[in-house]
């Protein structure tokens, strides 16, 4: 006899229909086989039809920064709205975590910039200074790009922001090249 608990197929169906987790992740989360999840989904005609609704609910929550959870789960079959709520809560927490991580890189960029402002450029340190400057610019550019993604700003800009950023970085790199003392 196996000590393995029987899978909670209702919970597995909810995760499947939410469309946020991969089937492999769902199987791992519920301690069952991926093939079992696929087979059950096919047999019961489960549809991964809530993905766009979950994304929309996540966007709405991120706009209001109100990532609250609801602890209600009745004995009755979970409603579509409840599935969307739970899945969007998870996605919201993930994006908020990403935002915190990006803020750390922004801080790193600020520290590099602050340090470079204190350095006096000399014949002996101009190569190291230029490398540090380029590293600082690179960290800042990546942090800005990640911030824009984490806050969903790129969707509204249509790509023009990246063109402006690239032009700015190119001009900064040109300026840093001119700092090199022959």
């Amino acid at each position: 006899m196996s000590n393995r608990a029987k899978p909670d197929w209702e919970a597995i169906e909810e995760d499947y229909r939410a469309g946020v987790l991969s089937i492999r992740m769902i199987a791992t989360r519920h301690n069952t086989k991926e093939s079992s999840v696929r087979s059950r989904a096919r047999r019961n005609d489960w549809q991964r039809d809530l993905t766009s609704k979950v994304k929309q609910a996540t966007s709405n929550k991120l706009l209001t920064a109100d990532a609250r959870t609801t602890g209600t789960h009745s004995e009755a079959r979970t409603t579509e709205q409840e599935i969307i709520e739970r899945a969007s809560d998870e996605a919201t927490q993930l994006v908020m975590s990403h935002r915190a991580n990006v803020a750390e890189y922004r801080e790193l960029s600020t520290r590099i910039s602050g340090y470079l402002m204190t350095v006096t450029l000399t014949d002996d340190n101009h190569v190291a200074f230029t490398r540090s400057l380029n590293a600082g610019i690179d960290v800042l550019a990546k942090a800005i790009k990640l911030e824009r993604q984490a806050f969903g700003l790129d969707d509204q800009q249509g790509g023009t922001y990246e063109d402006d950023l690239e032009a700015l970085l190119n001009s900064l790199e040109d300026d840093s090249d001119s700092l090199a003392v022959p």
Side-chain angles (χ1 to χ4, degrees):
M1 259 187 129
S2 172
N3 289 338
R4 184 182 233 175
K6 293 193 182 241
D8 180 353
W9 287 107
E10 185 176 318
I12 293 170
E13 179 184 5
E14 291 172 17
D15 284 346
Y16 185 93
R17 290 188 61 218
V20 175
L21 301 174
S22 70
I23 295 173
R24 180 174 291 151
M25 291 174 73
I26 294 169
T28 301
R29 174 185 269 187
H30 295 283
N31 198 27
T32 191
K33 295 178 184 174
E34 185 178 346
S35 60
S36 298
V37 174
R38 289 183 192 281
S39 174
R40 180 71 64 113
R42 193 172 28 256
R43 182 173 57 237
N44 294 329
D45 196 32
W46 294 346
Q47 300 297 314
R48 291 175 68 89
D49 57 353
L50 302 177
T51 305
S52 63
K53 292 179 182 180
V54 169
K55 285 181 182 178
Q56 182 61 48
T58 300
S59 294
N60 292 343
K61 286 181 181 185
L62 289 170
L63 287 173
T64 61
D66 183 18
R68 63 189 183 279
T69 58
T70 57
T72 60
H73 186 77
S74 65
E75 295 296 319
R77 188 167 173 82
T78 305
T79 67
E80 182 177 290
Q81 186 59 38
E82 289 171 327
I83 295 170
I84 292 168
E85 278 297 311
R86 193 187 83 245
S88 66
D89 282 345
E90 289 177 12
T92 300
Q93 289 173 348
L94 179 65
V95 172
M96 296 300 283
S97 170
H98 290 167
R99 288 178 178 178
N101 292 342
V102 170
E104 292 172 1
Y105 280 93
R106 169 69 84 162
E107 174 61 26
L108 179 60
S109 170
T110 301
R111 289 176 53 201
I112 292 170
S113 176
Y115 169 75
L116 290 176
M117 294 299 198
T118 67
V119 173
T120 302
L121 190 59
T122 67
D123 288 343
D124 295 332
N125 72 358
H126 73 277
V127 173
F129 181 87
T130 302
R131 285 187 188 133
S132 296
L133 178 61
N134 284 331
I137 290 169
D138 188 47
V139 169
L140 178 60
K142 289 177 181 173
I144 289 170
K145 182 175 181 168
L146 291 171
E147 281 175 327
R148 294 188 66 77
Q149 289 173 351
F151 284 89
L153 298 175
D154 286 334
D155 296 340
Q156 299 166 3
Q157 295 297 320
T160 59
Y161 174 78
E162 281 76 16
D163 297 337
D164 293 343
L165 179 60
E166 186 174 338
L168 174 64
L169 292 176
N170 288 336
S171 75
L172 289 173
E173 287 174 0
D174 292 343
D175 289 347
S176 70
D177 290 341
S178 68
L179 292 175
V181 177

